Amino acid sequence: MKKIEHIGIAVKNLKESNALFGKLFGEPHYKVETVESEGVNTSFFQVGDNKIELLEASKDDSPIAKFIARKGEGIHHIAFDVDDIEAEIIRLKEEGFIVLNDRPKRGADNKWVAFLHPKSSNGVLIELCQEIKE
Ligand SMILES: C[C@@H](C(=O)O)C(=O)SCCNC(=O)CCNC(=O)[C@H](O)C(C)(C)COP(=O)(O)OP(=O)(O)OC[C@H]1O[C@@H](n2cnc3c(N)ncnc32)[C@H](O)[C@@H]1OP(=O)(O)O
Ligand SMILES: [Co+2]
């Protein structure tokens, strides 16, 4: 794994949180993107070398709606940049991690993504990201 690609934060209201985090970072979000397959509306902030993703549920059975109902708003996942997501999925499965999607799926901000179940990584939801090159 190369570096943290982004940290995902679950929020109830994207518009309000965009304003709040814009004040925090002193710079507004650079994009908003809906990923319907994941049931999320997202926004992204660039903070120096780092990226923060805010996530709002776009439908009732969204993972974000479930998470907020259980735990409230807060850090939802940590995403890591990888060069070869398919090889990483195989490697991590061999290491005993529970990979939630065997085949990479399309995420936000031009990435292939895959998730590891938090119960196999000490309660932390891990996302793998590889840039889509077309
Ligand atoms: C678009 C994008 C991008 O960056 O490109 C994104 O990030 S999309 C981000 C949104 N998409 C995703 O998160 C996709 C991957 N996530 C999922 O498939 C799901 O959310 C699961 C992680 C499998 C959890 O689903 P669900 O809550 O239905 O499962 P479950 O009822 O079996 O819950 C199992 C346990 O996991 C815990 N749990 C759930 N979500 C968690 C999270 N984010 N971090 C830590 N723990 C979490 C629950 O509290 C529960 O703990 P206890 O058993 O101890 O009570
Ligand atoms: Co993410």
Side-chain angles (χ1 to χ4, degrees), residues 78 96-98 115-127:
I78 303 180
F97 293 95
I98 302 165
F115 290 90
L116 309 185
H117 200 293
K119 78 178 175 201
S120 70
S121 44
N122 289 173
V124 180
L125 176 61
I126 306 286
E127 177 183 346

Side-chain angles (χ1 to χ4, degrees), residues 22-36:
K23 279 187 219 165
L24 177 71
F25 300 137
E27 215 165 317
H29 58 288
Y30 64 86
K31 77 185 289 186
V32 170
E33 185 176 347
T34 294
V35 182
E36 213 37 76

Side-chain angles (χ1 to χ4, degrees), residues 39-99:
V40 295
N41 300 319
T42 68
S43 67
F44 286 90
F45 292 82
Q46 190 72 44
V47 189
D49 289 340
N50 303 301
K51 225 164 97 176
I52 302 293
E53 175 184 39
L54 301 185
L55 304 111
E56 166 196 74
S58 66
K59 53 185 183 187
D60 289 348
D61 62 349
S62 164
I64 299 302
K66 276 189 170 181
F67 179 85
I68 289 178
R70 238 178 171 133
K71 304 195 189 201
E73 295 176 297
I75 295 181
H76 179 260
H77 62 269
I78 303 180
F80 293 90
D81 212 2
V82 301
D83 281 329
D84 184 343
I85 193 168
E86 283 169 338
E88 278 298 281
I89 288 171
I90 292 166
R91 182 182 76 81
L92 293 168
K93 279 174 80 171
E94 282 171 3
E95 293 286 6
F97 293 95
I98 302 165
V99 179

